[in-house]
Amino acid sequence: MKRFWLVLLSLGLFTAFNTSAFAVDVKLSGSYFAAGAYVDKLNVVKNQAHSEQSTALYFQKLQLRTDFVVAPGLSLVTRANIMERSWGAARSAPGTTLDTGSSATRAENENIGFDYAYIHYNSPIGIWMIGYQNDHYFGTIFGDSSTPEGRITYILPVGNFKILAAIVKISENSYSAVNSASTQTDSDFNEYGVAGIYSGKNWEAGLLYLYYDNKTTRTTSTLPNVSYKNKFQTLQPYVKAKFGPVSVQAELNYYFGKNEYDAAGSTDKDISSLAGFIDVLGTFGQFYIGATFAYVQGDDDANDSKVHSIANGGGGRD
């Protein structure tokens, strides 16, 4: 009987993710801004390039989110950046490099560039989100650099507690028609994570565990200490609390793992990196006062066998 229900549930999930939508409700939300800017000097160092040159321009951006509601609990979510450019300015040349924090290139965002396209399904056994969605964020804003990624997310709410699990494809470098220059059997970047979050009346706490399997650092070079596999893990606890008019939040990010070098006789490097912050904010009527302390560990010696600096172990772009 247990096997029968498992098969039936699998068929139900397959049907939900593959059913054609004959009638849908559409929900639109988003933002639009237009602004002007004037910069008196592009370089504040005298007698350097552009040190006496000024610039003035108008620019705009429309970001539109669309939810196609197929049935109660089942929807397709998209988000697009539309005409993100300066008025009357030269357009960017087509390319393949993605814009910072986007799934699209700069040239695509200057016309229409999509960031999100994912299924959101409230199933009887939890919430599923499958497709390109927001990633690289958790807990407080510290250490976050929100970026759309191909991802499978599962969320199980249990009272005030939530359990989360995710599989993320950061980079796919397999040999293909558009990547015929691939020279490595495996040079992908995958991410696996689980987390727990508890929400109280005036406080919230959570813990995230991530495993990074980064093989984009592999090359065909035969030189020692060049081609390696970057494998590391992170623990990220955080807490948010409110005491009357005072709000406190704190987060700690600890990274540990190893750079495993491919060349025979090479010495692997141990990864150990720490970052964290605490933020206090008091709001009193129309006034507020606060303070923030942040710490990010840097590398002591790039030539030793210890790595204390991790790219996403800093304060984050957000």
Side-chain angles (χ1 to χ4, degrees), residues 218-242:
R218 301 185 73 196
T219 69
T220 57
S221 175
T222 57
L223 296 175
N225 298 337
V226 172
S227 180
Y228 65 94
K229 295 180 283 291
N230 178 227
K231 295 183 176 182
F232 61 97
Q233 304 165 70
T234 178
L235 290 172
Q236 299 183 5
Y238 80 93
V239 63
K240 298 178 182 179
K242 189 172 179 61

mmCIF file with all atom_site columns, all heavy atoms in Angstrom, residues 218-242:
data_model
loop_
_atom_site.group_PDB
_atom_site.id
_atom_site.type_symbol
_atom_site.label_atom_id
_atom_site.label_alt_id
_atom_site.label_comp_id
_atom_site.label_asym_id
_atom_site.label_entity_id
_atom_site.label_seq_id
_atom_site.pdbx_PDB_ins_code
_atom_site.Cartn_x
_atom_site.Cartn_y
_atom_site.Cartn_z
_atom_site.occupancy
_atom_site.B_iso_or_equiv
_atom_site.pdbx_formal_charge
_atom_site.auth_seq_id
_atom_site.auth_comp_id
_atom_site.auth_asym_id
_atom_site.auth_atom_id
_atom_site.pdbx_PDB_model_num
ATOM 1   N N   . ARG A 1 218 ? 38.677 24.063 -12.777 1.00 0.00 ? 218 ARG A N   1
ATOM 2   C CA  . ARG A 1 218 ? 39.527 23.084 -13.447 1.00 0.00 ? 218 ARG A CA  1
ATOM 3   C C   . ARG A 1 218 ? 39.949 23.607 -14.814 1.00 0.00 ? 218 ARG A C   1
ATOM 4   O O   . ARG A 1 218 ? 39.178 24.263 -15.524 1.00 0.00 ? 218 ARG A O   1
ATOM 5   C CB  . ARG A 1 218 ? 38.793 21.757 -13.611 1.00 0.00 ? 218 ARG A CB  1
ATOM 6   C CG  . ARG A 1 218 ? 38.339 21.138 -12.303 1.00 0.00 ? 218 ARG A CG  1
ATOM 7   C CD  . ARG A 1 218 ? 37.742 19.774 -12.544 1.00 0.00 ? 218 ARG A CD  1
ATOM 8   N NE  . ARG A 1 218 ? 38.772 18.792 -12.859 1.00 0.00 ? 218 ARG A NE  1
ATOM 9   C CZ  . ARG A 1 218 ? 38.519 17.602 -13.405 1.00 0.00 ? 218 ARG A CZ  1
ATOM 10  N NH1 . ARG A 1 218 ? 37.292 17.270 -13.728 1.00 0.00 ? 218 ARG A NH1 1
ATOM 11  N NH2 . ARG A 1 218 ? 39.502 16.760 -13.647 1.00 0.00 ? 218 ARG A NH2 1
ATOM 12  N N   . THR A 1 219 ? 41.183 23.329 -15.202 1.00 0.00 ? 219 THR A N   1
ATOM 13  C CA  . THR A 1 219 ? 41.719 23.737 -16.503 1.00 0.00 ? 219 THR A CA  1
ATOM 14  C C   . THR A 1 219 ? 42.463 22.555 -17.105 1.00 0.00 ? 219 THR A C   1
ATOM 15  O O   . THR A 1 219 ? 42.597 21.494 -16.501 1.00 0.00 ? 219 THR A O   1
ATOM 16  C CB  . THR A 1 219 ? 42.687 24.924 -16.365 1.00 0.00 ? 219 THR A CB  1
ATOM 17  O OG1 . THR A 1 219 ? 43.888 24.482 -15.698 1.00 0.00 ? 219 THR A OG1 1
ATOM 18  C CG2 . THR A 1 219 ? 42.069 26.058 -15.568 1.00 0.00 ? 219 THR A CG2 1
ATOM 19  N N   . THR A 1 220 ? 43.022 22.756 -18.309 1.00 0.00 ? 220 THR A N   1
ATOM 20  C CA  . THR A 1 220 ? 43.813 21.706 -18.952 1.00 0.00 ? 220 THR A CA  1
ATOM 21  C C   . THR A 1 220 ? 45.299 21.915 -18.710 1.00 0.00 ? 220 THR A C   1
ATOM 22  O O   . THR A 1 220 ? 46.125 21.176 -19.237 1.00 0.00 ? 220 THR A O   1
ATOM 23  C CB  . THR A 1 220 ? 43.555 21.706 -20.468 1.00 0.00 ? 220 THR A CB  1
ATOM 24  O OG1 . THR A 1 220 ? 43.857 23.011 -20.987 1.00 0.00 ? 220 THR A OG1 1
ATOM 25  C CG2 . THR A 1 220 ? 42.108 21.373 -20.764 1.00 0.00 ? 220 THR A CG2 1
ATOM 26  N N   . SER A 1 221 ? 45.651 22.938 -17.959 1.00 0.00 ? 221 SER A N   1
ATOM 27  C CA  . SER A 1 221 ? 47.065 23.236 -17.726 1.00 0.00 ? 221 SER A CA  1
ATOM 28  C C   . SER A 1 221 ? 47.736 22.106 -16.951 1.00 0.00 ? 221 SER A C   1
ATOM 29  O O   . SER A 1 221 ? 47.153 21.503 -16.054 1.00 0.00 ? 221 SER A O   1
ATOM 30  C CB  . SER A 1 221 ? 47.202 24.549 -16.949 1.00 0.00 ? 221 SER A CB  1
ATOM 31  O OG  . SER A 1 221 ? 48.548 24.776 -16.621 1.00 0.00 ? 221 SER A OG  1
ATOM 32  N N   . THR A 1 222 ? 48.974 21.818 -17.307 1.00 0.00 ? 222 THR A N   1
ATOM 33  C CA  . THR A 1 222 ? 49.730 20.778 -16.614 1.00 0.00 ? 222 THR A CA  1
ATOM 34  C C   . THR A 1 222 ? 50.611 21.364 -15.518 1.00 0.00 ? 222 THR A C   1
ATOM 35  O O   . THR A 1 222 ? 51.308 20.631 -14.829 1.00 0.00 ? 222 THR A O   1
ATOM 36  C CB  . THR A 1 222 ? 50.623 20.018 -17.613 1.00 0.00 ? 222 THR A CB  1
ATOM 37  O OG1 . THR A 1 222 ? 51.488 20.953 -18.271 1.00 0.00 ? 222 THR A OG1 1
ATOM 38  C CG2 . THR A 1 222 ? 49.775 19.302 -18.646 1.00 0.00 ? 222 THR A CG2 1
ATOM 39  N N   . LEU A 1 223 ? 50.581 22.694 -15.383 1.00 0.00 ? 223 LEU A N   1
ATOM 40  C CA  . LEU A 1 223 ? 51.391 23.304 -14.337 1.00 0.00 ? 223 LEU A CA  1
ATOM 41  C C   . LEU A 1 223 ? 50.837 22.917 -12.965 1.00 0.00 ? 223 LEU A C   1
ATOM 42  O O   . LEU A 1 223 ? 49.628 22.770 -12.790 1.00 0.00 ? 223 LEU A O   1
ATOM 43  C CB  . LEU A 1 223 ? 51.383 24.831 -14.470 1.00 0.00 ? 223 LEU A CB  1
ATOM 44  C CG  . LEU A 1 223 ? 52.008 25.396 -15.749 1.00 0.00 ? 223 LEU A CG  1
ATOM 45  C CD1 . LEU A 1 223 ? 51.806 26.905 -15.800 1.00 0.00 ? 223 LEU A CD1 1
ATOM 46  C CD2 . LEU A 1 223 ? 53.489 25.068 -15.813 1.00 0.00 ? 223 LEU A CD2 1
ATOM 47  N N   . PRO A 1 224 ? 51.679 22.724 -11.992 1.00 0.00 ? 224 PRO A N   1
ATOM 48  C CA  . PRO A 1 224 ? 51.183 22.377 -10.655 1.00 0.00 ? 224 PRO A CA  1
ATOM 49  C C   . PRO A 1 224 ? 50.397 23.531 -10.036 1.00 0.00 ? 224 PRO A C   1
ATOM 50  O O   . PRO A 1 224 ? 50.622 24.698 -10.332 1.00 0.00 ? 224 PRO A O   1
ATOM 51  C CB  . PRO A 1 224 ? 52.471 22.096 -9.869  1.00 0.00 ? 224 PRO A CB  1
ATOM 52  C CG  . PRO A 1 224 ? 53.533 22.857 -10.586 1.00 0.00 ? 224 PRO A CG  1
ATOM 53  C CD  . PRO A 1 224 ? 53.142 22.817 -12.029 1.00 0.00 ? 224 PRO A CD  1
ATOM 54  N N   . ASN A 1 225 ? 49.453 23.161 -9.193  1.00 0.00 ? 225 ASN A N   1
ATOM 55  C CA  . ASN A 1 225 ? 48.666 24.127 -8.422  1.00 0.00 ? 225 ASN A CA  1
ATOM 56  C C   . ASN A 1 225 ? 47.858 25.074 -9.299  1.00 0.00 ? 225 ASN A C   1
ATOM 57  O O   . ASN A 1 225 ? 47.639 26.232 -8.956  1.00 0.00 ? 225 ASN A O   1
ATOM 58  C CB  . ASN A 1 225 ? 49.568 24.939 -7.490  1.00 0.00 ? 225 ASN A CB  1
ATOM 59  C CG  . ASN A 1 225 ? 50.277 24.070 -6.471  1.00 0.00 ? 225 ASN A CG  1
ATOM 60  O OD1 . ASN A 1 225 ? 49.815 22.976 -6.169  1.00 0.00 ? 225 ASN A OD1 1
ATOM 61  N ND2 . ASN A 1 225 ? 51.389 24.548 -5.957  1.00 0.00 ? 225 ASN A ND2 1
ATOM 62  N N   . VAL A 1 226 ? 47.418 24.609 -10.471 1.00 0.00 ? 226 VAL A N   1
ATOM 63  C CA  . VAL A 1 226 ? 46.591 25.445 -11.342 1.00 0.00 ? 226 VAL A CA  1
ATOM 64  C C   . VAL A 1 226 ? 45.181 24.868 -11.422 1.00 0.00 ? 226 VAL A C   1
ATOM 65  O O   . VAL A 1 226 ? 44.220 25.524 -11.068 1.00 0.00 ? 226 VAL A O   1
ATOM 66  C CB  . VAL A 1 226 ? 47.213 25.575 -12.748 1.00 0.00 ? 226 VAL A CB  1
ATOM 67  C CG1 . VAL A 1 226 ? 46.254 26.282 -13.679 1.00 0.00 ? 226 VAL A CG1 1
ATOM 68  C CG2 . VAL A 1 226 ? 48.538 26.320 -12.669 1.00 0.00 ? 226 VAL A CG2 1
ATOM 69  N N   . SER A 1 227 ? 45.039 23.652 -11.912 1.00 0.00 ? 227 SER A N   1
ATOM 70  C CA  . SER A 1 227 ? 43.728 23.034 -12.043 1.00 0.00 ? 227 SER A CA  1
ATOM 71  C C   . SER A 1 227 ? 43.328 22.389 -10.716 1.00 0.00 ? 227 SER A C   1
ATOM 72  O O   . SER A 1 227 ? 44.065 21.565 -10.170 1.00 0.00 ? 227 SER A O   1
ATOM 73  C CB  . SER A 1 227 ? 43.765 21.976 -13.153 1.00 0.00 ? 227 SER A CB  1
ATOM 74  O OG  . SER A 1 227 ? 42.509 21.369 -13.297 1.00 0.00 ? 227 SER A OG  1
ATOM 75  N N   . TYR A 1 228 ? 42.175 22.789 -10.197 1.00 0.00 ? 228 TYR A N   1
ATOM 76  C CA  . TYR A 1 228 ? 41.740 22.232 -8.915  1.00 0.00 ? 228 TYR A CA  1
ATOM 77  C C   . TYR A 1 228 ? 40.226 22.225 -8.819  1.00 0.00 ? 228 TYR A C   1
ATOM 78  O O   . TYR A 1 228 ? 39.524 22.898 -9.579  1.00 0.00 ? 228 TYR A O   1
ATOM 79  C CB  . TYR A 1 228 ? 42.342 23.026 -7.748  1.00 0.00 ? 228 TYR A CB  1
ATOM 80  C CG  . TYR A 1 228 ? 41.877 24.463 -7.653  1.00 0.00 ? 228 TYR A CG  1
ATOM 81  C CD1 . TYR A 1 228 ? 40.811 24.829 -6.847  1.00 0.00 ? 228 TYR A CD1 1
ATOM 82  C CD2 . TYR A 1 228 ? 42.531 25.469 -8.373  1.00 0.00 ? 228 TYR A CD2 1
ATOM 83  C CE1 . TYR A 1 228 ? 40.382 26.137 -6.755  1.00 0.00 ? 228 TYR A CE1 1
ATOM 84  C CE2 . TYR A 1 228 ? 42.121 26.788 -8.283  1.00 0.00 ? 228 TYR A CE2 1
ATOM 85  C CZ  . TYR A 1 228 ? 41.050 27.115 -7.475  1.00 0.00 ? 228 TYR A CZ  1
ATOM 86  O OH  . TYR A 1 228 ? 40.623 28.423 -7.396  1.00 0.00 ? 228 TYR A OH  1
ATOM 87  N N   . LYS A 1 229 ? 39.723 21.446 -7.870  1.00 0.00 ? 229 LYS A N   1
ATOM 88  C CA  . LYS A 1 229 ? 38.297 21.389 -7.561  1.00 0.00 ? 229 LYS A CA  1
ATOM 89  C C   . LYS A 1 229 ? 38.063 22.148 -6.253  1.00 0.00 ? 229 LYS A C   1
ATOM 90  O O   . LYS A 1 229 ? 38.696 21.838 -5.242  1.00 0.00 ? 229 LYS A O   1
ATOM 91  C CB  . LYS A 1 229 ? 37.830 19.941 -7.459  1.00 0.00 ? 229 LYS A CB  1
ATOM 92  C CG  . LYS A 1 229 ? 37.922 19.175 -8.785  1.00 0.00 ? 229 LYS A CG  1
ATOM 93  C CD  . LYS A 1 229 ? 37.451 17.750 -8.654  1.00 0.00 ? 229 LYS A CD  1
ATOM 94  C CE  . LYS A 1 229 ? 38.484 16.863 -7.984  1.00 0.00 ? 229 LYS A CE  1
ATOM 95  N NZ  . LYS A 1 229 ? 39.670 16.638 -8.832  1.00 0.00 ? 229 LYS A NZ  1
ATOM 96  N N   . ASN A 1 230 ? 37.175 23.136 -6.317  1.00 0.00 ? 230 ASN A N   1
ATOM 97  C CA  . ASN A 1 230 ? 36.879 24.002 -5.181  1.00 0.00 ? 230 ASN A CA  1
ATOM 98  C C   . ASN A 1 230 ? 35.652 23.442 -4.456  1.00 0.00 ? 230 ASN A C   1
ATOM 99  O O   . ASN A 1 230 ? 34.525 23.649 -4.892  1.00 0.00 ? 230 ASN A O   1
ATOM 100 C CB  . ASN A 1 230 ? 36.649 25.428 -5.699  1.00 0.00 ? 230 ASN A CB  1
ATOM 101 C CG  . ASN A 1 230 ? 36.277 26.407 -4.605  1.00 0.00 ? 230 ASN A CG  1
ATOM 102 O OD1 . ASN A 1 230 ? 35.349 27.177 -4.748  1.00 0.00 ? 230 ASN A OD1 1
ATOM 103 N ND2 . ASN A 1 230 ? 37.000 26.387 -3.506  1.00 0.00 ? 230 ASN A ND2 1
ATOM 104 N N   . LYS A 1 231 ? 35.877 22.710 -3.368  1.00 0.00 ? 231 LYS A N   1
ATOM 105 C CA  . LYS A 1 231 ? 34.788 22.080 -2.627  1.00 0.00 ? 231 LYS A CA  1
ATOM 106 C C   . LYS A 1 231 ? 34.770 22.619 -1.197  1.00 0.00 ? 231 LYS A C   1
ATOM 107 O O   . LYS A 1 231 ? 35.753 22.467 -0.466  1.00 0.00 ? 231 LYS A O   1
ATOM 108 C CB  . LYS A 1 231 ? 34.963 20.563 -2.603  1.00 0.00 ? 231 LYS A CB  1
ATOM 109 C CG  . LYS A 1 231 ? 34.867 19.898 -3.975  1.00 0.00 ? 231 LYS A CG  1
ATOM 110 C CD  . LYS A 1 231 ? 34.965 18.389 -3.853  1.00 0.00 ? 231 LYS A CD  1
ATOM 111 C CE  . LYS A 1 231 ? 34.782 17.712 -5.200  1.00 0.00 ? 231 LYS A CE  1
ATOM 112 N NZ  . LYS A 1 231 ? 34.823 16.237 -5.087  1.00 0.00 ? 231 LYS A NZ  1
ATOM 113 N N   . PHE A 1 232 ? 33.652 23.256 -0.849  1.00 0.00 ? 232 PHE A N   1
ATOM 114 C CA  . PHE A 1 232 ? 33.574 23.774 0.514   1.00 0.00 ? 232 PHE A CA  1
ATOM 115 C C   . PHE A 1 232 ? 32.125 23.799 0.998   1.00 0.00 ? 232 PHE A C   1
ATOM 116 O O   . PHE A 1 232 ? 31.191 23.634 0.216   1.00 0.00 ? 232 PHE A O   1
ATOM 117 C CB  . PHE A 1 232 ? 34.208 25.164 0.621   1.00 0.00 ? 232 PHE A CB  1
ATOM 118 C CG  . PHE A 1 232 ? 33.565 26.219 -0.232  1.00 0.00 ? 232 PHE A CG  1
ATOM 119 C CD1 . PHE A 1 232 ? 32.619 27.085 0.295   1.00 0.00 ? 232 PHE A CD1 1
ATOM 120 C CD2 . PHE A 1 232 ? 33.920 26.372 -1.566  1.00 0.00 ? 232 PHE A CD2 1
ATOM 121 C CE1 . PHE A 1 232 ? 32.031 28.057 -0.484  1.00 0.00 ? 232 PHE A CE1 1
ATOM 122 C CE2 . PHE A 1 232 ? 33.344 27.349 -2.354  1.00 0.00 ? 232 PHE A CE2 1
ATOM 123 C CZ  . PHE A 1 232 ? 32.394 28.195 -1.808  1.00 0.00 ? 232 PHE A CZ  1
ATOM 124 N N   . GLN A 1 233 ? 31.986 23.983 2.303   1.00 0.00 ? 233 GLN A N   1
ATOM 125 C CA  . GLN A 1 233 ? 30.678 24.005 2.949   1.00 0.00 ? 233 GLN A CA  1
ATOM 126 C C   . GLN A 1 233 ? 30.555 25.286 3.770   1.00 0.00 ? 233 GLN A C   1
ATOM 127 O O   . GLN A 1 233 ? 31.545 25.955 4.045   1.00 0.00 ? 233 GLN A O   1
ATOM 128 C CB  . GLN A 1 233 ? 30.529 22.777 3.863   1.00 0.00 ? 233 GLN A CB  1
ATOM 129 C CG  . GLN A 1 233 ? 30.749 21.455 3.144   1.00 0.00 ? 233 GLN A CG  1
ATOM 130 C CD  . GLN A 1 233 ? 30.959 20.301 4.093   1.00 0.00 ? 233 GLN A CD  1
ATOM 131 O OE1 . GLN A 1 233 ? 30.035 19.894 4.772   1.00 0.00 ? 233 GLN A OE1 1
ATOM 132 N NE2 . GLN A 1 233 ? 32.176 19.777 4.145   1.00 0.00 ? 233 GLN A NE2 1
ATOM 133 N N   . THR A 1 234 ? 29.333 25.599 4.148   1.00 0.00 ? 234 THR A N   1
ATOM 134 C CA  . THR A 1 234 ? 29.131 26.780 4.983   1.00 0.00 ? 234 THR A CA  1
ATOM 135 C C   . THR A 1 234 ? 27.996 26.542 5.963   1.00 0.00 ? 234 THR A C   1
ATOM 136 O O   . THR A 1 234 ? 27.013 25.862 5.645   1.00 0.00 ? 234 THR A O   1
ATOM 137 C CB  . THR A 1 234 ? 28.841 28.033 4.130   1.00 0.00 ? 234 THR A CB  1
ATOM 138 O OG1 . THR A 1 234 ? 28.616 29.146 4.982   1.00 0.00 ? 234 THR A OG1 1
ATOM 139 C CG2 . THR A 1 234 ? 27.615 27.837 3.259   1.00 0.00 ? 234 THR A CG2 1
ATOM 140 N N   . LEU A 1 235 ? 28.145 27.089 7.149   1.00 0.00 ? 235 LEU A N   1
ATOM 141 C CA  . LEU A 1 235 ? 27.098 27.141 8.158   1.00 0.00 ? 235 LEU A CA  1
ATOM 142 C C   . LEU A 1 235 ? 26.767 28.610 8.396   1.00 0.00 ? 235 LEU A C   1
ATOM 143 O O   . LEU A 1 235 ? 27.670 29.418 8.635   1.00 0.00 ? 235 LEU A O   1
ATOM 144 C CB  . LEU A 1 235 ? 27.554 26.481 9.459   1.00 0.00 ? 235 LEU A CB  1
ATOM 145 C CG  . LEU A 1 235 ? 27.718 24.961 9.420   1.00 0.00 ? 235 LEU A CG  1
ATOM 146 C CD1 . LEU A 1 235 ? 28.357 24.478 10.713  1.00 0.00 ? 235 LEU A CD1 1
ATOM 147 C CD2 . LEU A 1 235 ? 26.377 24.270 9.201   1.00 0.00 ? 235 LEU A CD2 1
ATOM 148 N N   . GLN A 1 236 ? 25.481 28.947 8.320   1.00 0.00 ? 236 GLN A N   1
ATOM 149 C CA  . GLN A 1 236 ? 25.080 30.343 8.428   1.00 0.00 ? 236 GLN A CA  1
ATOM 150 C C   . GLN A 1 236 ? 23.900 30.486 9.394   1.00 0.00 ? 236 GLN A C   1
ATOM 151 O O   . GLN A 1 236 ? 22.740 30.470 8.977   1.00 0.00 ? 236 GLN A O   1
ATOM 152 C CB  . GLN A 1 236 ? 24.721 30.908 7.054   1.00 0.00 ? 236 GLN A CB  1
ATOM 153 C CG  . GLN A 1 236 ? 25.872 30.888 6.064   1.00 0.00 ? 236 GLN A CG  1
ATOM 154 C CD  . GLN A 1 236 ? 25.516 31.512 4.721   1.00 0.00 ? 236 GLN A CD  1
ATOM 155 O OE1 . GLN A 1 236 ? 24.437 32.044 4.539   1.00 0.00 ? 236 GLN A OE1 1
ATOM 156 N NE2 . GLN A 1 236 ? 26.435 31.434 3.781   1.00 0.00 ? 236 GLN A NE2 1
ATOM 157 N N   . PRO A 1 237 ? 24.163 30.644 10.692  1.00 0.00 ? 237 PRO A N   1
ATOM 158 C CA  . PRO A 1 237 ? 23.080 30.925 11.642  1.00 0.00 ? 237 PRO A CA  1
ATOM 159 C C   . PRO A 1 237 ? 22.760 32.420 11.666  1.00 0.00 ? 237 PRO A C   1
ATOM 160 O O   . PRO A 1 237 ? 23.628 33.263 11.421  1.00 0.00 ? 237 PRO A O   1
ATOM 161 C CB  . PRO A 1 237 ? 23.666 30.472 12.977  1.00 0.00 ? 237 PRO A CB  1
ATOM 162 C CG  . PRO A 1 237 ? 25.145 30.670 12.808  1.00 0.00 ? 237 PRO A CG  1
ATOM 163 C CD  . PRO A 1 237 ? 25.449 30.407 11.356  1.00 0.00 ? 237 PRO A CD  1
ATOM 164 N N   . TYR A 1 238 ? 21.497 32.746 11.936  1.00 0.00 ? 238 TYR A N   1
ATOM 165 C CA  . TYR A 1 238 ? 21.116 34.152 12.067  1.00 0.00 ? 238 TYR A CA  1
ATOM 166 C C   . TYR A 1 238 ? 19.990 34.273 13.071  1.00 0.00 ? 238 TYR A C   1
ATOM 167 O O   . TYR A 1 238 ? 19.299 33.305 13.404  1.00 0.00 ? 238 TYR A O   1
ATOM 168 C CB  . TYR A 1 238 ? 20.680 34.726 10.717  1.00 0.00 ? 238 TYR A CB  1
ATOM 169 C CG  . TYR A 1 238 ? 19.259 34.387 10.321  1.00 0.00 ? 238 TYR A CG  1
ATOM 170 C CD1 . TYR A 1 238 ? 18.192 35.232 10.620  1.00 0.00 ? 238 TYR A CD1 1
ATOM 171 C CD2 . TYR A 1 238 ? 18.971 33.190 9.655   1.00 0.00 ? 238 TYR A CD2 1
ATOM 172 C CE1 . TYR A 1 238 ? 16.889 34.903 10.276  1.00 0.00 ? 238 TYR A CE1 1
ATOM 173 C CE2 . TYR A 1 238 ? 17.670 32.863 9.301   1.00 0.00 ? 238 TYR A CE2 1
ATOM 174 C CZ  . TYR A 1 238 ? 16.630 33.727 9.611   1.00 0.00 ? 238 TYR A CZ  1
ATOM 175 O OH  . TYR A 1 238 ? 15.345 33.389 9.282   1.00 0.00 ? 238 TYR A OH  1
ATOM 176 N N   . VAL A 1 239 ? 19.782 35.503 13.563  1.00 0.00 ? 239 VAL A N   1
ATOM 177 C CA  . VAL A 1 239 ? 18.686 35.789 14.476  1.00 0.00 ? 239 VAL A CA  1
ATOM 178 C C   . VAL A 1 239 ? 18.214 37.220 14.245  1.00 0.00 ? 239 VAL A C   1
ATOM 179 O O   . VAL A 1 239 ? 19.015 38.113 13.953  1.00 0.00 ? 239 VAL A O   1
ATOM 180 C CB  . VAL A 1 239 ? 19.119 35.580 15.947  1.00 0.00 ? 239 VAL A CB  1
ATOM 181 C CG1 . VAL A 1 239 ? 20.224 36.540 16.343  1.00 0.00 ? 239 VAL A CG1 1
ATOM 182 C CG2 . VAL A 1 239 ? 17.925 35.715 16.878  1.00 0.00 ? 239 VAL A CG2 1
ATOM 183 N N   . LYS A 1 240 ? 16.902 37.423 14.338  1.00 0.00 ? 240 LYS A N   1
ATOM 184 C CA  . LYS A 1 240 ? 16.293 38.748 14.294  1.00 0.00 ? 240 LYS A CA  1
ATOM 185 C C   . LYS A 1 240 ? 15.355 38.857 15.486  1.00 0.00 ? 240 LYS A C   1
ATOM 186 O O   . LYS A 1 240 ? 14.588 37.927 15.758  1.00 0.00 ? 240 LYS A O   1
ATOM 187 C CB  . LYS A 1 240 ? 15.501 38.956 13.003  1.00 0.00 ? 240 LYS A CB  1
ATOM 188 C CG  . LYS A 1 240 ? 16.309 38.889 11.725  1.00 0.00 ? 240 LYS A CG  1
ATOM 189 C CD  . LYS A 1 240 ? 15.389 39.054 10.513  1.00 0.00 ? 240 LYS A CD  1
ATOM 190 C CE  . LYS A 1 240 ? 16.136 38.942 9.197   1.00 0.00 ? 240 LYS A CE  1
ATOM 191 N NZ  . LYS A 1 240 ? 15.231 39.070 8.024   1.00 0.00 ? 240 LYS A NZ  1
ATOM 192 N N   . ALA A 1 241 ? 15.406 39.994 16.187  1.00 0.00 ? 241 ALA A N   1
ATOM 193 C CA  . ALA A 1 241 ? 14.546 40.170 17.355  1.00 0.00 ? 241 ALA A CA  1
ATOM 194 C C   . ALA A 1 241 ? 14.158 41.635 17.489  1.00 0.00 ? 241 ALA A C   1
ATOM 195 O O   . ALA A 1 241 ? 14.890 42.531 17.046  1.00 0.00 ? 241 ALA A O   1
ATOM 196 C CB  . ALA A 1 241 ? 15.243 39.685 18.622  1.00 0.00 ? 241 ALA A CB  1
ATOM 197 N N   . LYS A 1 242 ? 13.008 41.873 18.120  1.00 0.00 ? 242 LYS A N   1
ATOM 198 C CA  . LYS A 1 242 ? 12.518 43.233 18.336  1.00 0.00 ? 242 LYS A CA  1
ATOM 199 C C   . LYS A 1 242 ? 12.170 43.398 19.809  1.00 0.00 ? 242 LYS A C   1
ATOM 200 O O   . LYS A 1 242 ? 11.396 42.614 20.365  1.00 0.00 ? 242 LYS A O   1
ATOM 201 C CB  . LYS A 1 242 ? 11.302 43.507 17.461  1.00 0.00 ? 242 LYS A CB  1
ATOM 202 C CG  . LYS A 1 242 ? 10.849 44.952 17.462  1.00 0.00 ? 242 LYS A CG  1
ATOM 203 C CD  . LYS A 1 242 ? 9.764  45.191 16.433  1.00 0.00 ? 242 LYS A CD  1
ATOM 204 C CE  . LYS A 1 242 ? 9.282  46.636 16.431  1.00 0.00 ? 242 LYS A CE  1
ATOM 205 N NZ  . LYS A 1 242 ? 10.374 47.589 16.090  1.00 0.00 ? 242 LYS A NZ  1
#
